Amino acid sequence: MFEIVKKQVLSPSIKLFEVKAPRVAQKAEPGQFFMLRVDEKGERIPLTIANFDREAGTITTIVQEIGHTSQRMGNMEEGQEFLDVAGPLGEATEIKNYGTVMCVGGGLGIAPVYPIARALKEAGNEVISVIGARNKDLLYWEDEMDAISSELHAATDDGSFGHKGFVTDIVKQVLENKKVDAIWAIGPMPMMRAVAETTRPFGVKTIVSLNPIMVDGTGMCGACRVEVGGETKFACVDGPEFDGHLVDFDLALRRLAMYKDDEKRALASGSCGRDDSCQK
Ligand code: FES
């Protein structure tokens, strides 16, 4: 069992969980994720590792209550335990000194981009960060991101904090004024596609972290398959990071949409609504 040692409400629907998972914390690297199961009847869901503390033996993740399992997690408190925490999974980010890098986090994507930005800074990069959300209430970790960035920009759709508009507006502005050597963009699939399309004319390598449906997280089931550069890849073992200019986002978005109705039914019925192999 894996104890919740800290729960923090970042916004009414976004919660931070620090979970005791020493073996995962020992091996975790930026860019990786883990699979979590609340209890025996629960589905397994992939969650990004937003932070890890090897000494304390804890990992941190941030969850938005948009699905059945994330709502159940949102109702859990410090001291309660999750049944399964399996990981770390996926390939770690390639951290090295690229020169000047930009780290773009949209919504829940701010959490996984944070350890990447921090590690890139520690490797000697100049880090320009861009965070965005629909509104100020859905933004978090401005101070944490600021502390590891030489420049921090923020955007909200409604203008309630920072630039009124999209992160892509800022990405374009920065690229027009500065040479950037590599970009990481993590967030909702449409946002990652938009960032990749914005950076394409500038020819700057753009890494995205894909979040397709996952079932086992170990390359066995094929649920997370994506097309990258014309080749089939499994996001859980070949990714989750891929070259954003090569990802077939149309296909990835179509596959994500296939499961939306299942999730709505699960939320309405208050149960998973599917068998144990089903996922969000
Ligand atoms: Fe099953 Fe990736 S989640 S192959």
Side-chain angles (χ1 to χ4, degrees):
M1 300 294 277
F2 299 84
E3 185 190 350
I4 301 168
V5 295
K6 178 179 169 190
K7 177 187 175 187
Q8 191 182 351
V9 179
L10 300 177
S11 84
S13 64
I14 299 180
K15 314 269 164 71
L16 173 150
F17 291 92
E18 190 176 332
V19 182
K20 191 95 180 161
R23 283 195 197 159
V24 183
Q26 207 53 46
K27 293 192 174 159
E29 298 289 349
Q32 293 186 297
F33 66 99
F34 65 98
M35 300 293 288
L36 177 139
R37 199 149 64 116
V38 172
D39 58 27
E40 284 193 350
K41 290 189 180 153
E43 56 180 351
R44 284 192 301 272
I45 61 165
L47 293 172
T48 48
I49 297 174
N51 211 346
F52 48 86
D53 183 332
R54 298 200 206 287
E55 265 181 38
T58 60
I59 54 170
T60 300
T61 192
I62 289 179
V63 175
Q64 185 168 18
E65 294 179 39
I66 47 173
H68 175 66
T69 300
S70 53
Q71 286 194 352
R72 288 188 64 202
M73 288 179 72
N75 291 329
M76 293 177 73
E77 300 299 337
E78 289 174 8
Q80 288 188 274
E81 295 174 323
F82 299 121
L83 176 68
D84 278 337
V85 169
L89 300 169
E91 292 285 334
T93 304
E94 189 181 351
I95 302 293
K96 62 180 185 181
N97 193 340
Y98 296 86
T100 301
V101 298
M102 187 155 30
C103 292
V104 187
L108 269 198
I110 298 168
V113 97
Y114 169 73
I116 295 171
R118 186 180 58 188
L120 286 166
K121 183 188 162 75
E122 285 166 5
N125 293 279
E126 180 189 351
V127 178
I128 300 170
S129 296
V130 185
I131 56 174
R134 285 206 308 278
N135 57 53
K136 186 178 186 316
D137 286 346
L138 296 172
L139 265 188
Y140 55 92
W141 282 10
E142 297 97 312
D143 292 346
E144 284 82 348
M145 289 298 291
D146 193 35
I148 53 160
S149 309
S150 57
E151 282 177 40
L152 174 68
H153 304 267
T156 49
D157 297 6
D158 65 358
S160 50
F161 189 84
H163 167 74
K164 182 177 192 298
F166 301 118
V167 289
T168 45
D169 304 337
I170 298 170
V171 169
K172 185 161 181 277
Q173 221 172 55
V174 172
L175 291 179
E176 283 169 346
N177 289 293
K178 189 155 192 154
K179 180 179 173 296
V180 174
D181 300 290
I183 297 175
W184 276 259
I186 309 183
M189 203 86 86
M191 180 221 107
M192 292 191 284
R193 174 166 64 177
V195 172
E197 288 314 315
T198 302
T199 63
R200 194 188 295 275
F202 293 91
V204 184
K205 189 176 176 67
T206 301
I207 309 294
V208 296
S209 180
L210 296 184
N211 50 347
I213 308 301
M214 287 192 188
V215 175
D216 61 354
T218 59
M220 303 292 285
C221 69
C224 67
R225 69 180 182 277
V226 288
E227 293 282 319
V228 183
E231 287 178 28
T232 298
K233 301 278 184 191
F234 292 157
C236 68
V237 288
D238 300 319
E241 292 187 356
F242 295 102
D243 183 335
H245 295 151
L246 299 179
V247 171
D248 184 338
F249 279 107
D250 288 340
L251 181 66
L253 280 160
R254 275 203 305 277
R255 284 183 56 76
L256 262 188
M258 278 164 46
Y259 291 85
K260 287 262 159 46
D261 287 346
D262 274 354
E263 189 61 53
K264 274 189 205 146
R265 271 197 298 276
L267 277 169
S269 70
S271 72
C272 171
R274 292 161 285 157
D275 65 31
D276 196 44
S277 65
C278 64
Q279 289 301 303
K280 64 178 184 173

